[in-house]
Amino acid sequence: MSYNKKSEMEQSIIIVISNYFAKCITLLGTYLGWIPTILLSLIAFLTPLKALFIILTIFVFLDLFLALWINRKKIQSNKLRLTLIKYCFYLLLISLVYSIEFIIGFSFFYKVIFALSCSVELWSIMGNMLVINPNMKILSLFKTLLAGEISKKINIKEDKITEFLDNKL
């Protein structure tokens, strides 16, 4: 592997990890972000590990499908690579925490990490859905909260998002 490719891969991993924690902070900074996180936590506490991985896989690839739908005219391999790295990061993080908790005989935090990971993906899915269909009533409540997420998806400044979505109606 060439030095340039390795550096590119390291940068992609750093981007995925920093985006994860930034989105967790954004998500948990609003009460509307806490709602799906709490609901997904309840699901996590009632679900075995294998099912958690299946649910997380559905969320990640639904987000990828919607992102590809938005950018169907110009599919970027960078987005596909970042999605794969993000998915591996989620699985490794949950597996690592689960393994540590299994050794010490305690199981709590891996389910919280699962809930946060799914909430981050749900947040992104809602942003994608608003770009695709700004008329969705329930998601219009999130329009201002998702402005940063939407601006990344369509490369428009955050303060222009409401105007963009209103013109798309």
Side-chain angles (χ1 to χ4, degrees):
M1 180 181 284
S2 72
Y3 176 75
N4 210 11
K5 287 286 184 188
K6 185 177 179 185
S7 175
E8 218 176 276
M9 182 62 79
E10 289 170 351
Q11 287 176 340
S12 296
I13 292 169
I14 290 169
I15 288 169
V16 166
I17 293 171
S18 63
N19 282 347
Y20 175 76
F21 288 110
K23 286 183 180 182
C24 283
I25 290 168
T26 302
L27 181 73
L28 298 176
T30 173
Y31 72 92
L32 289 173
W34 277 94
I35 294 170
T37 304
I38 290 170
L39 291 174
L40 287 163
S41 294
L42 292 173
I43 291 170
F45 285 106
L46 301 173
T47 309
L49 187 62
K50 181 179 176 183
L52 295 181
F53 285 145
I54 292 169
I55 293 168
L56 183 60
T57 301
I58 291 168
F59 274 78
V60 169
F61 287 101
L62 178 60
D63 182 41
L64 174 63
F65 173 77
L66 292 172
L68 291 174
W69 180 263
I70 291 170
N71 298 309
R72 61 188 171 274
K73 293 179 184 165
K74 53 175 183 166
I75 295 177
Q76 300 169 344
S77 64
N78 185 37
K79 288 189 188 252
L80 296 172
R81 184 178 72 241
L82 285 176
T83 297
L84 183 60
I85 292 170
K86 174 177 63 173
Y87 181 64
C88 290
F89 169 72
Y90 290 158
L91 295 181
L92 286 172
L93 184 61
I94 292 169
S95 298
L96 178 67
V97 173
Y98 176 79
S99 299
I100 292 169
E101 289 181 339
F102 183 78
I103 291 169
I104 62 174
F106 182 76
S107 63
F108 171 76
F109 290 108
Y110 81 93
K111 293 182 178 191
V112 172
I113 292 170
F114 160 80
L116 279 172
S117 299
C118 283
S119 295
V120 165
E121 289 304 306
L122 183 61
W123 199 254
S124 182
I125 288 167
M126 290 188 314
N128 285 331
M129 291 173 71
L130 264 176
V131 171
I132 293 169
N133 184 5
N135 293 332
M136 295 181 96
K137 297 290 183 203
I138 190 132
L139 292 181
S140 63
L141 297 171
F142 294 90
K143 195 181 295 185
T144 55
L145 296 173
L146 291 168
E149 186 72 28
I150 296 169
S151 70
K152 290 179 201 168
K153 295 177 185 310
I154 57 176
N155 296 323
I156 293 179
K157 291 185 179 181
E158 209 171 310
D159 56 344
K160 303 284 184 189
I161 293 300
T162 306
E163 180 182 322
F164 170 80
L165 292 175
D166 290 342
N167 288 336
K168 204 172 174 189
L169 297 177

